[in-house]
Amino acid sequence: MPKDIHQRDTAQQRSSRLLLAMGIIVLLGALAYFVLTLVVNRRTPASPDTRYTAENGISVYYESAVWPVCEMTEDATLGRALELASAQSSDDANYQVVLFQKGTKDTYEDFIGQSEKELKQAYGVISPRKVNLNIDGAAVTAVRCDIQAYYAVLATIEYDSGDVIYVSGLTKLASISDIVNLVESVSLS
């Protein structure tokens, strides 16, 4: 009987050690994920070198190395909009795109809410999170929606004049710093 008790005690000790090791591995994985998320999502300063004023009156100061495509385009949802993209095609692994549409407060009843609803219908679960953006002379409301491996950035930039810039951005990158820097450089001409 003492031998059976000793064998059970040893087996319980091994099980306890295994559970402890698994718990430590899970905690280390969660810590590594948290640290990597902080490192990847940190804001990097922009180094803009090009100013472009579109025919819709939106002016943007951007990094031409990051945003080689800058042109007016016709978007199915936003209509005529200023488009900045990191590549000519969405097939590029690092493709990012930002669309800027000029309007008024009456152009959309709830641009961000409607866009979130459309994203949820298209992709299922999205996780909207508020993004703090600062633009001189304007009130900014912005969210970041986590969509599988993508980030969508939605913003409304409201000026005292009544003009509003509606922003839709999408990136496959783990960082949204390029889009945030771009949006913060927008102004009306």
Side-chain angles (χ1 to χ4, degrees):
M1 190 165 169
K3 186 176 181 181
D4 288 341
I5 292 173
H6 179 68
Q7 286 176 343
R8 284 188 207 136
D9 188 42
T10 304
Q12 286 178 345
Q13 286 177 351
R14 275 190 244 133
S15 296
S16 296
R17 286 186 201 133
L18 181 62
L19 285 173
L20 180 63
M22 288 172 35
I24 290 172
I25 289 171
V26 167
L27 285 174
L28 288 174
L31 180 64
Y33 174 78
F34 179 73
V35 169
L36 286 173
T37 301
L38 284 177
V39 168
V40 168
N41 286 331
R42 76 182 194 286
R43 298 277 300 268
T44 55
S47 301
D49 58 7
T50 306
R51 178 170 293 282
Y52 180 79
T53 301
E55 61 190 53
N56 64 358
I58 297 173
S59 183
V60 65
Y61 195 42
Y62 65 97
E63 296 177 67
S64 58
V66 175
W67 305 102
V69 176
C70 181
E71 61 193 10
M72 289 299 293
T73 188
E74 191 70 32
D75 180 71
T77 304
L78 293 177
R80 194 95 174 118
L82 172 61
E83 174 186 3
L84 278 91
S86 60
Q88 290 290 338
S89 169
S90 60
D91 295 333
D92 188 303
N94 295 320
Y95 182 72
Q96 303 179 94
V97 65
V98 183
L99 299 170
F100 298 95
Q101 179 194 26
K102 184 178 176 186
T104 65
K105 293 178 183 180
D106 299 327
T107 304
Y108 296 97
E109 188 174 320
D110 179 14
F111 174 74
I112 293 177
Q114 183 63 34
S115 298
E116 285 178 357
K117 184 178 175 184
E118 290 171 5
L119 287 171
K120 190 169 188 170
Q121 286 175 346
Y123 298 102
V125 176
I126 62 170
S127 303
R129 295 186 180 130
K130 189 173 180 169
V131 177
N132 292 321
L133 298 175
N134 298 308
I135 297 175
D136 292 335
V140 182
T141 305
V143 296
R144 175 189 90 189
C145 298
D146 301 350
I147 309 168
Q148 299 160 3
Y150 299 87
Y151 286 143
V153 177
L154 306 167
T156 57
I157 305 167
E158 296 183 36
Y159 292 91
D160 293 335
S161 64
D163 290 319
V164 179
I165 298 176
Y166 297 97
V167 182
S168 298
L170 181 68
T171 179
K172 290 183 183 178
L173 301 174
S175 173
I176 63 169
S177 296
D178 291 336
I179 291 178
V180 168
N181 289 333
L182 181 64
V183 171
E184 289 185 335
S185 77
V186 168
S187 63
L188 288 175
S189 58

